Amino acid sequence: MGTAPGWRSGLGWLLLLWLLSTLGFGWLLRSLAVLVALLVLVPAIAVVAGQWWWRQNTIADACPMCQGEFTALRSTSVNCPHCGEALTVVDRRFTRYTPPGTIEVEVQTIE
């Protein structure tokens, strides 16, 4: 007893495609092809767009106080995870946050 090829063989799928195309269901095949293409392309485009956004909106730099390197978003004020200093981003670099009117001084020791 032999078994019929059924839907597992390529001939069965070709017969189904031929039947659908002769009955005027070509629109169904085209819409399925578009759906499969969207299922493949949309995640790929989302990954590429996400990587581009990450590169544009993150900064990897060293803290000006402790020289510890870390990554943060460009549009936020952050605290250094190493020393806790409040930092802002200016020209893609971390700088100390100082309120307006603050005068920066350097301490010198006299021997």
Side-chain angles (χ1 to χ4, degrees), residues 23-82:
L23 293 176
F25 289 114
W27 61 270
L28 180 64
L29 293 176
R30 284 190 296 276
S31 62
L32 286 175
V34 167
L35 181 64
V36 169
L38 286 176
L39 288 174
V40 171
L41 290 177
V42 167
I45 291 171
V47 166
V48 170
Q51 289 176 346
W52 174 83
W53 181 89
W54 184 258
R55 282 191 306 269
Q56 296 298 316
N57 291 304
T58 57
I59 304 261
D61 195 21
C63 173
M65 298 304 291
C66 69
Q67 304 307 317
E69 291 197 19
F70 66 99
T71 302
L73 290 175
R74 272 185 7 168
S75 61
T76 60
S77 295
V78 294
N79 290 338
C80 175
H82 305 287

Side-chain angles (χ1 to χ4, degrees), residues 89-103:
V89 177
V90 176
D91 295 329
R92 298 191 62 86
R93 308 272 307 165
F94 291 127
T95 58
R96 279 185 65 204
Y97 172 73
T98 53
T102 303
I103 299 172

